[in-house]
Amino acid sequence: MSINTSTAGAGTASNSSVTILLGRILLAVIFLLSGFGKLTAISGTAAYFGAMGLPAPTVTAIVVGLIELLGGLAILVGFQTRIAAWVLAVFTIATALVAHTGWADQNQMIHFLKNVAITGGFLLLASSGAGAYSIDAKRG
């Protein structure tokens, strides 16, 4: 069964834009909170990253915090959304592969699968764009 969306009316486009906006908000929240948390607790984040064996833990903590905070902000307001979504998709799957592969631990498996699902959301957003309620739409 296929659905013909070429004849969709303005109401459908509006509903789609509201749905995309809600999706952007939900995707952005975790990155805004996580990035802010990392950047306001650099020493703790660096210690955690160091214990994981990541290189240059303080620099890594700053870079990761900035990717999360600025990427989350870009997704939230719909600025350069397709690029931000791709960056965060790659970042999120990389995070899953670096930090959540201890699948014998059910909690790690859940975090891995959460990251995979979030990556899927970012790929959809990269494909669809930010919708009408975004800076991207206002800029043309």
Side-chain angles (χ1 to χ4, degrees), residues 30-55:
I30 192 169
F31 290 89
L32 291 168
L33 293 174
S34 186
F36 181 79
K38 284 177 178 68
L39 293 171
T40 56
I42 292 292
S43 61
T45 304
Y48 176 71
F49 285 177
M52 288 178 54
L54 295 175

Side-chain angles (χ1 to χ4, degrees), residues 64-83:
V64 165
L66 287 172
I67 288 170
E68 290 177 339
L69 185 66
L70 297 176
L73 186 60
I75 295 297
L76 179 67
V77 300
F79 177 73
Q80 297 292 319
T81 306
R82 291 177 195 268
I83 294 168

Side-chain angles (χ1 to χ4, degrees), residues 101-123:
T101 56
W103 298 335
D105 176 355
Q106 183 68 26
N107 190 43
Q108 287 300 313
M109 176 61 87
I110 290 168
H111 283 294
F112 180 84
L113 293 173
K114 169 202 55 114
N115 281 31
V116 169
I118 290 170
T119 299
F122 282 129
L123 293 177

